[in-house]
Amino acid sequence: MKKAINEKDELVSPSLPQFPVDSDVYVYSGPISYNNVDKLRDLILTKKCDKNKTCILFISTFGGDADSAFRLANCIKQNYKEFKLVIPCMCKSAGTLISMAADSLYFGPKGELGPLDVQMSKRKGGDTNETISGLDIFFALDVLTDKMLNAFYHFNSILQKGTRVAMKTSLEISAMMVTKMFSPVMEQINPLDLGEMHRAMNIAQGYAKVMASHNFKKETIGTLIGGYPCHSFVLDENQAKQFFNSVYAMENWMLSVKEQIPFLEIPDNVGQIIDLTAAPMGKEEQK
């Protein structure tokens, strides 16, 4: 029996399971980026898909670009009658955005979504490929604001109780102390970066409203965007049912695919995009 080989000429699977009739099956493992998404879009568009077919996409990603997520989801919706998304492990941020376009979701034992978030490259120091989460930034600002207010009230309370200075003087001294304490931290914040991140979050929300399928409960979008404290928050199969109508456990053949393909367990750092339907023994013979 022939062996299915991926783009890097590595072994994918010695024996892929039979796939459902009238379905095209793809694997996407890696960042949601323009180049990776374009590879999958090319695979879809060059097939001249039968509109009656179903697209089944196995996805494994830590997230990425909201624009690219929309391009991919829109391409699938335009070329297939039904879109099923299989989530073997991580499907975070921009991956969650793609899940909102699917007609049904299939979770593996380790499958998880995350809050609707965006990731952007860090501009100062560190790895040039390192990213930072919008939710993490805004949560950090909330924490910093609370600390500043608490410090101000604390200083003012001590001055009011321990001295006889006037209220105006007490407030001025407290403000000065808070300013000196927190100014080194505040000087590290670039208003342009904050504006860009806020805009990116708004773009993600806009795409979510446009691309959401009947499977997504649109009234929950506010919670999915701002109801969680961080990018890494785990939304498993049970929690996903708060946001989606059709949520299922992975079928046996889906579990078999996951076991045969290692980079579905952990997202690939660069990107692995494969059309499994084209692999030998991958398609059930039509009767």
Side-chain angles (χ1 to χ4, degrees):
M1 182 183 298
K2 294 182 180 180
K3 298 179 180 179
I5 305 297
N6 68 12
E7 293 178 349
K8 294 183 178 180
D9 295 330
E10 297 172 347
L11 182 65
V12 172
S13 168
S15 57
L16 288 170
Q18 292 182 333
F19 302 146
V21 175
D22 293 330
S23 295
D24 287 335
V25 184
Y26 304 96
V27 166
Y28 189 115
S29 177
I32 307 295
S33 64
Y34 182 88
N35 289 337
N36 285 338
V37 164
D38 217 38
K39 290 178 183 178
L40 183 50
R41 291 174 72 196
D42 286 343
L43 287 176
I44 293 172
L45 294 174
T46 54
K47 294 182 78 165
K48 297 181 180 179
C49 307
D50 183 346
K51 186 64 175 175
N52 292 323
K53 284 187 176 181
T54 296
C55 174
I56 303 176
L57 175 63
F58 287 76
I59 190 167
S60 177
T61 182
F62 290 118
D65 176 36
D67 295 328
S68 295
F70 176 77
R71 290 189 184 99
L72 176 55
N74 189 55
C75 179
I76 294 173
K77 299 292 281 187
Q78 290 293 323
N79 289 278
Y80 288 96
K81 184 177 181 180
E82 186 178 12
F83 175 23
K84 296 181 179 180
L85 189 69
V86 185
I87 306 169
C89 63
M90 302 286 187
C91 182
K92 297 293 190 176
S93 71
T96 300
L97 187 59
I98 293 173
S99 75
M100 296 170 67
D103 297 301
S104 53
L105 305 180
Y106 293 81
F107 277 77
K110 297 180 181 179
E112 61 180 71
L113 296 172
L116 185 57
D117 186 16
V118 293
Q119 295 171 288
M120 300 179 67
S121 298
K122 288 186 176 180
R123 294 183 175 177
K124 296 180 180 179
D127 187 347
T128 55
N129 293 322
E130 191 176 3
T131 59
I132 188 168
S133 161
L135 288 178
D136 289 343
I137 289 178
F138 292 122
F139 182 69
L141 283 175
D142 288 340
V143 171
L144 185 59
T145 300
D146 288 341
K147 293 293 184 182
M148 292 173 64
L149 288 173
N150 289 337
F152 177 81
Y153 290 127
H154 176 69
F155 292 144
N156 186 57
S157 176
I158 292 176
L159 289 171
Q160 288 292 303
K161 293 179 180 179
T163 66
R164 295 184 178 180
V165 299
M167 175 65 76
K168 180 180 179 181
T169 304
S170 174
L171 294 173
E172 290 176 348
I173 294 174
S174 298
M176 179 183 65
M177 295 176 69
V178 169
T179 299
K180 289 185 177 181
M181 178 180 294
F182 288 95
S183 59
V185 178
M186 298 300 291
E187 288 172 358
Q188 301 300 312
I189 299 175
N190 187 338
L192 293 178
D193 289 342
L194 288 179
E196 184 178 355
M197 185 62 72
H198 188 266
R199 177 177 174 273
M201 294 291 287
N202 286 339
I203 290 173
Q205 182 175 358
Y207 279 142
K209 292 179 179 178
V210 171
M211 66 193 289
S213 71
H214 59 85
N215 187 42
F216 179 70
K217 302 175 183 178
K218 294 180 176 62
E219 68 275 9
T220 65
I221 190 170
T223 302
L224 194 57
I225 292 175
Y228 298 96
C230 64
H231 168 79
S232 60
F233 200 95
V234 176
L235 299 176
D236 61 16
E237 179 182 346
N238 289 329
Q239 291 173 304
K241 292 177 181 178
Q242 302 175 28
F243 304 100
F244 299 91
N245 295 306
S246 300
V247 178
Y248 310 102
M250 285 173 60
E251 298 173 0
N252 288 336
W253 74 268
M254 296 175 179
L255 292 170
S256 180
V257 169
K258 180 186 76 70
E259 290 171 0
Q260 297 288 345
I261 303 179
F263 47 80
L264 279 176
E265 190 73 20
I266 300 177
D268 189 80
N269 290 331
V270 179
Q272 293 274 13
I273 293 84
I274 305 172
D275 178 1
L276 287 184
T277 317
M281 299 301 294
K283 192 67 180 285
E284 183 180 41
E285 293 184 3
Q286 298 192 22
K287 300 178 181 179

